[in-house]
Amino acid sequence: MKVLLTGGTGYIGSHTAVELIRAGYEVEILDNLANSKIEVLDRIFEIAGLKPKFHEVDLEDFSGVLGVLRNGEFDAVMHFAGLKAVGESVEKPLEYYEKNIGGTVNLLKAMKETEVRRLVFSSSATVYGDQKMPEKGLDETLVTGVGITNPYGWTKFMIEQVIRDFVKAEPEFSATILRYFNPIGADKSGLIGEDPNGIPNNLMPIVMKVYRGEIPALTVFGDDYSTRDGTCERDFIHVTDLAKGHVKALEKMRQGVAVYNLGSGKATSVKEIIAAFEEAAGEKLPVKYGERRAGDLAVLFANPEKAERELGWKTERGVKEAVRDTLRFLKNSQ
Ligand code: WQD
């Protein structure tokens, strides 16, 4: 089976490329390198023994995308490519709608034209909005789209709908939508990991920069939430577990559209993440406590039962392992 990964040199795409190659798939990558580096291809080779064929193409370039799909004879596409900075999306909404939604529409048009009929899409837990957390975590039956606070989140919600409408109109196509919780960690080789350009937005890349001394201190956004220790709790998932979830999703793909949460079902607080990092690093991080960040929810975690039941997938790595692997990547990339 041959799979095209859009955004395949990025954080989650590169880890999925490794797991697909390990599982015996042939992988090609399409990426515009907007937030990733070409060297990732060599790292994938070092880890998995094969270097994916690479196409430097922007999803906005329809004929470019069509050309790649036409020549590739792919069995499936995994669609990771997109802009993902929440704060930036508030500043530049049109860019997010144009690139994320327009890019996906181009991809689907090209898939239709070339009859590449299977799609796996990177969605996000952000589509669940600000609803009350069920005791067993957010599950796939819940309503989505209520209380989404930023254009990035809306693009994920809207793309899910675009995919549903497309598959309804073209029933010979099938799609699996994967809703990621908070991916952290790195391949255990330490050769690939999260390496965003510019100022990071997410907790772990900020922690990494603080550890390296590139940011003077970590500001914890609020310690007055009604949680175990006052800081927010999230469902952090090791990126290798997440990547393996994609392989399972492809294996088990069937007619129509399926939606799965990819999360651990466990909530870990910001303070607990900091403590785990400090323990693995053997040193304290400079930490300040600041105001709550607009749009943050106190607690967010997955109910991962559907993925376990239907895909035979569950997380196998915890936060400790994720932090250790992050540190290994940090040391390798210095
Ligand atoms: C986690 C926790 C912060 C930075 C977002 C998107 C989601 C997904 C992942 C992105 C929160 C706290 C953070 C800092 C802090 N998509 N924090 N100080 O907000 O759960 O999810 O990123 O690609 O769709 O919404 O993740 O890593 O930004 O924050 O205290 O400097 O860490 O307040 O509680 P979030 P995050």
Side-chain angles (χ1 to χ4, degrees), residues 132-181:
K132 192 171 174 291
M133 273 294 306
E135 213 168 292
K136 291 180 80 181
L138 296 161
D139 71 69
E140 298 86 344
T141 65
L142 294 168
V143 69
T144 55
V146 178
I148 295 175
T149 52
N150 59 82
Y152 158 78
W154 282 117
T155 67
K156 292 294 180 190
F157 172 79
M158 290 178 195
I159 293 167
E160 287 197 3
Q161 190 58 37
V162 169
I163 291 170
R164 278 191 208 95
D165 290 338
F166 173 70
V167 174
K168 197 170 175 185
E170 307 289 337
E172 65 285 7
F173 281 75
S174 46
T176 299
I177 291 168
L178 301 176
R179 294 181 181 152
Y180 308 160
F181 281 70

Side-chain angles (χ1 to χ4, degrees), residues 20-245:
L20 284 167
I21 294 169
R22 282 179 173 151
Y25 290 88
E26 192 178 337
V27 172
E28 293 192 13
I29 288 176
L30 179 155
D31 202 301
N32 66 359
L33 300 175
N35 194 21
S36 60
K37 300 191 178 77
I38 189 88
E39 290 75 26
V40 165
L41 298 170
D42 295 320
R43 303 288 95 80
I44 294 172
F45 175 74
E46 278 181 69
I47 300 167
L50 283 172
K51 185 170 171 172
K53 187 170 173 189
F54 180 67
H55 310 272
E56 187 174 347
V57 172
D58 196 301
L59 286 177
E60 286 184 293
D61 167 15
F62 176 70
S63 59
V65 177
L66 188 62
V68 172
L69 282 169
R70 221 176 236 143
N71 295 326
E73 295 189 3
F74 298 101
D75 298 288
V77 175
M78 290 194 179
H79 178 32
F80 301 93
L83 300 176
K84 59 162 193 170
V86 169
E88 182 188 62
S89 79
V90 176
E91 310 290 321
K92 302 176 183 170
L94 298 181
E95 205 171 309
Y96 273 68
Y97 289 117
E98 183 168 45
K99 296 223 158 100
N100 288 4
I101 300 175
T104 306
V105 169
N106 273 346
L107 177 65
L108 292 173
K109 275 164 62 184
M111 287 174 71
K112 183 177 172 208
E113 201 155 322
T114 55
E115 299 179 349
V116 179
R117 291 183 168 140
R118 274 178 279 195
L119 176 74
V120 177
F121 173 62
S122 305
S123 189
S124 166
T126 195
V127 301
Y128 291 114
D130 63 355
Q131 63 193 289
K132 192 171 174 291
M133 273 294 306
E135 213 168 292
K136 291 180 80 181
L138 296 161
D139 71 69
E140 298 86 344
T141 65
L142 294 168
V143 69
T144 55
V146 178
I148 295 175
T149 52
N150 59 82
Y152 158 78
W154 282 117
T155 67
K156 292 294 180 190
F157 172 79
M158 290 178 195
I159 293 167
E160 287 197 3
Q161 190 58 37
V162 169
I163 291 170
R164 278 191 208 95
D165 290 338
F166 173 70
V167 174
K168 197 170 175 185
E170 307 289 337
E172 65 285 7
F173 281 75
S174 46
T176 299
I177 291 168
L178 301 176
R179 294 181 181 152
Y180 308 160
F181 281 70
N182 290 58
I184 58 168
D187 184 78
K188 70 174 186 309
S189 65
L191 291 171
I192 52 174
E194 189 165 18
D195 187 14
N197 293 338
I199 304 155
N201 307 277
N202 297 116
L203 178 62
M204 196 50 91
I206 294 173
V207 165
M208 288 160 76
K209 286 216 182 263
V210 171
Y211 176 70
R212 278 177 159 168
E214 292 165 25
I215 296 176
L218 172 70
T219 304
V220 174
F221 299 137
D223 62 349
D224 58 349
Y225 286 95
S226 52
T227 55
R228 282 196 294 274
D229 61 25
T231 64
C232 292
E233 293 173 18
R234 293 289 180 274
D235 187 338
F236 295 97
I237 167 174
H238 194 298
V239 66
T240 298
D241 283 330
L242 187 67
K244 285 174 178 281

